[in-house]
Amino acid sequence: DTGVSQDPRHKITKRGQNVTFRCDPISEHNRLYWYRQTLGQGPEFLTYFQNEAQLEKSRLLSDRFSAERPKGSFSTLEIQRTEQGDSAMYLCASSSDGGGQPQHFGDGTRLSIL
Amino acid sequence: QQQVKQSPQSLIVQKGGISIINCAYENTAFDYFPWYQQFPGKGPALLIAIRPDVSEKKEGRFTISFNKSAKQFSLHIMDSQPGDSATYFCAATLRGDKLIFGTGTRLQVFP
């Protein structure tokens, strides 16, 4: 399977703990995006990378959130000091460069904060 | 100006019928308009997409109609099947940047 892969699929943690998610994009894609989706809503943009450079961050991405894409391959999204409001599905997508290129999504990591 | 408005919120269609979902946008600079299909517990899957220089695109039972002057686009699902029951999202983007999603339409197709 050469699609976007996310790990773990589910994460349950206590409020105040730190969590880290991983995304492996489609191998030839140099753009990688993170979105957050809450129940009954469309995905909301968090941040995106072109190769290893983080090009844009949403104001949704508070200082407790950090994302990295070392060497322009896989990416990690870390949430520090988790809060109840962080409970959501975290989706990763990848695409080729340029306008009009489709973004392909993984199946997400569902985060539940106890 | 970054919003994409989607309607209806939910849709019930009989098997074999036509499902129609509508979206409207404000930013005339958007240059790519995809539709995604999402099943429970899964990520959104790209269904079909269109650029603003085309008024219609058809792939199998799925058709996008695009009205640039009205800043509206719609998804038509012909011969709707129970397997089409899912949530559908329209989206828009500029130069391959972030996708701006609509609020979603939950489609239920009954046999």
Side-chain angles (χ1 to χ4, degrees):
Chain A
D1 184 14
T2 56
V4 177
S5 177
Q6 292 190 246
D7 185 70
R9 290 296 316 281
H10 299 95
K11 180 71 177 178
I12 301 173
T13 192
K14 292 182 180 179
R15 183 168 55 92
Q17 297 296 303
N18 298 343
V19 293
T20 300
F21 312 138
R22 177 181 169 121
C23 172
D24 288 273
I26 294 171
S27 58
E28 60 267 27
H29 287 175
N30 57 0
R31 289 196 176 192
L32 187 149
Y33 308 79
W34 285 99
Y35 294 83
R36 181 170 69 185
Q37 186 178 27
T38 53
L39 206 59
Q41 300 296 316
E44 292 179 297
F45 170 78
L46 292 178
T47 187
Y48 92 93
F49 294 83
Q50 180 159 315
N51 300 312
E52 65 274 11
Q54 189 172 17
L55 296 189
E56 187 176 350
K57 291 193 291 187
S58 163
R59 57 184 168 80
L60 292 175
L61 213 66
S62 76
D63 55 5
R64 296 185 298 106
F65 288 70
S66 63
E68 293 182 342
R69 194 183 182 197
K71 302 177 183 178
S73 55
F74 71 92
S75 176
T76 58
L77 178 68
E78 181 184 15
I79 309 174
Q80 295 183 327
R81 305 180 305 280
T82 52
E83 301 174 356
Q84 293 281 356
D86 297 332
S87 294
M89 175 80 86
Y90 290 84
L91 293 162
C92 176
S94 69
S95 75
S96 301
D97 245 346
Q101 298 299 321
Q103 293 184 25
H104 297 277
F105 284 80
D107 283 335
T109 294
R110 177 159 296 284
L111 175 64
S112 299
I113 308 296
L114 300 178
Chain B
Q1 204 182 22
Q2 288 284 69
Q3 279 189 322
V4 176
K5 295 182 180 178
Q6 183 172 346
S7 64
Q9 190 174 355
S10 63
L11 184 60
I12 299 174
V13 171
Q14 205 159 19
K15 179 182 174 183
I18 302 173
S19 304
I20 302 174
I21 305 171
N22 301 298
C23 285
Y25 64 97
E26 290 295 323
N27 188 348
T28 56
F30 286 141
D31 59 7
Y32 183 71
F33 300 86
W35 283 88
Y36 284 86
Q37 178 190 58
Q38 187 174 30
F39 293 103
K42 296 289 190 179
L46 181 66
L47 199 58
I48 186 172
I50 198 167
R51 298 173 193 260
D53 54 349
V54 175
S55 61
E56 185 175 283
K57 184 174 181 180
K58 183 176 181 179
E59 289 182 1
R61 296 185 294 112
F62 302 92
T63 300
I64 300 179
S65 296
F66 190 87
N67 187 329
K68 190 173 181 178
S69 60
K71 294 186 286 187
Q72 294 175 348
F73 58 111
S74 60
L75 176 69
H76 295 233
I77 305 174
M78 313 299 288
D79 187 26
S80 298
Q81 299 296 312
D84 296 331
S85 298
T87 300
Y88 293 81
F89 293 97
C90 62
T93 186
L94 171 62
R95 292 188 307 270
D97 288 344
K98 57 183 177 286
L99 285 166
I100 308 297
F101 281 88
T103 49
T105 296
R106 186 183 175 200
L107 172 66
Q108 295 175 276
V109 181
F110 285 95

